[in-house]
Amino acid sequence: MKENPLTPLPPSRGGNGVPATDSATGRREAALVPASGTPFPRREGGRGVRGPWNDNLTGWLFALPHLILFTVFLLVPVVYGFYISLHRWHILTKIQPFVGFANYQAALADDIFWLALRNTLYFVVLVVPLGNLVSLLLALGLANVKRFSTIYKVSYYLPVVISIAVVAVLWRWLYNTQVGLLNLYLKAAVDGLRGLGLPLAGFEPIPWLANPSWVMPSIALMSIWWGAGGNMVLYLAGLGAIPDDYYEAARIDGANGWQQFRAITWPLLRPTVLFCLVISVLGSFQIFGQSYVLFAPGSGPARSGLTLALYMYLQGFNQYEIGYGAAIAYLLFAIVLVLTAVQFRLFSKREDYTPR
Amino acid sequence: MSTSAREQYGQRTMSFLPFIPASAVLRWRRQRPTTPGRPFRPRLGLALVALLLVLAAGCPTARRGGDAGPNGTTGQRTVIRFWNGFTGPDGKTMEALVRQFQKENPDVAVEMQIIPWGTYYDKVTLALAYGGAPDLFVVHAARLPEFASFDTLQPLDSLYASSEPPVEADDFAPVPWKASFYQGRKLALPLDVHPIGLYYNTRLFEEAGIVGPDGKAAPPKTWEQFLEAAQKITKDTDGDGRTDQWGFVFTFQRTNYLTFLYQFGGSLVTPDGKRSAMDSPESLAAAQRMRDLIYKYKVAPKPEGVDAWLAFRQGKVGMALEGIYMLASLEEQKGLPYAGAPAPQFGPKRAVWGGSHLLCQPKGIAPRQSEAAWRLMRYLSDHSLTWAAGGQVPTRVSIRQSPAFARLTVPYQFGTQVDWVQYEPLTPRSNSLFQFADPAVEAVLLDLDTPENAMRDASRRINQLLSRP
């Protein structure tokens, strides 16, 4: 059924029985019909009123499944978590009194909170630059491999797929001071070098997970092994996006490998590098599984494996002080938010793709 | 959160959405105007509700037994849910006991769920707080005051009073019996006691000549005998200048420390439970003696990356203080000659750390469930000789004195200590103390700090914790 384009829609005959004047759509259409009666072009086959409201609705309907999931599983918990953080809230109590920001004050006065923050920062500082360097080197190495490149890519990427629980259990054995493979190989290597006449001291087993000063480096090493493949894929994509002509031109000009890297690869890869750095910082600030599986309750010798996310969890679900745990979560959120803002400032500077 | 909201969660409607009860969604839906003027919005609302319902249906909500009716009954059978953490061989024993119980009580259907201890209390706590609590569950003696202080456990006084045949207090070991009360109310039925004890490697003892008049390995009873035995066993067997056979190892530092501490007459907190006692002279003496085993007498390895229990299993260690629950892992170790004995006396007092599994019911349980659960509790207690075969010491005096129990050599040896067992402090915040106590003990044993500093630090934190409202 086609509408008569010449007359403004009567109020009683909206497309779907909508009184046209009732909605913004109807009013606008009525107003748009020129006084002279010139027909306002309408889409053929339209069911009726088709305006911004309908388009909006379509958009919302498309977004709806995600919106619901986002609201239910993210937005509501996030807001509710903040609400919890303002209360003294033990899981089993019947009454949870409002305490304002007391939980936040308590956290800031809690030296274990600061220790956990320091441990977390130490981990970030260890893992982000080193991990990205490893990923970049892997990507650079693999970029020009022609044969079996998929096999290499898959094998470097494989650890990423493993759950952190499995990785941690695996590495706990590798790190075992007495019977761990790592110490065994190191001892064999040192003994071998000594056999060659090098003046080396006898190998003392490294207490990877037992000595407080070794704990974070050990966790970092394990995490780099675990996560390097992920960033490697991103770097490979970044490298693939650099046109070959640039390298060709450089080679004609007689540039060596290092010069090519300095003048072409690095500047053009910078957006990828920044992206990877942002993602790594965000990811490593939330380090949890490693310490949880390796140490949990006390969290390692001298609490050296205790991270912020883990401390939050332990307070919330081990001590059942979920108000306090939620406050720690929000402090962690604030820290990460600030860092992300700083990084986005850096990230948003676009690299000029014309070679200098 | 109001009490009425909490009751709503108890009905288990959409339990994954604690903030939006189903009724609220439905109410919202009803209140939407369905005037012809707004045809889209209600449909949107409908879609939303439909989606939520689909989500709710897809989520595993707390289930009350197969096709159980509204009161947890299937026809004539009463369904009771029983949670515990017996993941080891003890779980097999428990399953067999429950099966046998069901054969003898055809009107009760038991749904047992075994949850690893590591996450067990998380689950129990959440279930008690937000609904879905089991009808019968295990609580360790030291955790009872915590749950009781939040009023989550059902008083069992009337069940005890009406039980036939009557439950005789005299037939229970006094320590677990007392631990099943909180502020004068009986809240649990104690199932077992599991003190730690001394496991020793009989071959290493015989090789070192630590034998009795009968030529068999003689376990030490006093500190002097213990130290002498440990010194005789500790040696460097392959001559590389490094000790590789140790007299003793610290396995689980918490239970080892508590045993030393109690033997020196100390405790984690003052008797009123209000302040820390970790910096008391008794505690310092206990910590110093433990530390001396590693750094002064050098008969125990620094607990640094040593898988201590593995070392004992491999036959490289003479003695270890561990729980009866570790027995199964020794039995599966081929060719390891070991035996069990009561813990030696390291300090002036006779004491040993132990735990107990108590059987509890949730507050507000339906009478029918409660009665059926009580029958199972009685059954387990009456048959705790079978339970002992799974590696636990029964609380019932009559069973502990039976010849059948004496044949279970290691449990019997460990069981002789039952009357001087001491739990962790029986206060509501007991479990929280260890977030500070454990790292302090570890710091002492790893020589990261002096006993004085480590214990003072832990005390300060514990006092801070206990002063919180």
Side-chain angles (χ1 to χ4, degrees), chain A residues 255-307:
Chain A
N256 62 23
W258 172 244
Q259 284 167 330
Q260 285 178 35
F261 178 79
R262 275 288 315 277
I264 302 168
T265 312
W266 183 246
L268 293 186
L269 206 57
R270 266 189 59 193
T272 316
V273 174
L274 276 166
F275 176 76
C276 287
L277 285 179
V278 172
I279 297 293
S280 316
V281 168
L282 291 185
S284 38
F285 247 100
Q286 295 167 42
I287 173 194
F288 170 81
Q290 288 88 327
S291 303
Y292 179 71
V293 177
L294 289 174
F295 306 112
S299 275
R303 296 192 178 90
S304 50
L306 184 68
T307 63

Side-chain angles (χ1 to χ4, degrees), chain A residues 134-150 152-153 156 232-242 244 247 261 265 269:
Chain A
V134 170
S135 304
L136 182 60
L137 288 177
L138 283 176
L140 285 171
L142 284 182
N144 296 317
V145 173
K146 296 285 180 295
R147 303 185 68 190
F148 308 122
S149 69
T150 315
Y152 289 119
K153 281 177 204 165
Y156 287 121
M232 177 195 76
V233 171
L234 294 172
Y235 282 122
L236 272 173
L239 289 173
I242 302 174
D244 283 340
Y247 293 107
F261 178 79
T265 312
L269 206 57

Side-chain angles (χ1 to χ4, degrees), chain A residues 192-212:
Chain A
L193 289 173
R194 271 156 63 96
L196 290 173
L198 281 169
L200 282 174
F203 178 72
E204 279 295 319
I206 298 175
W208 295 100
L209 295 176
N211 186 318

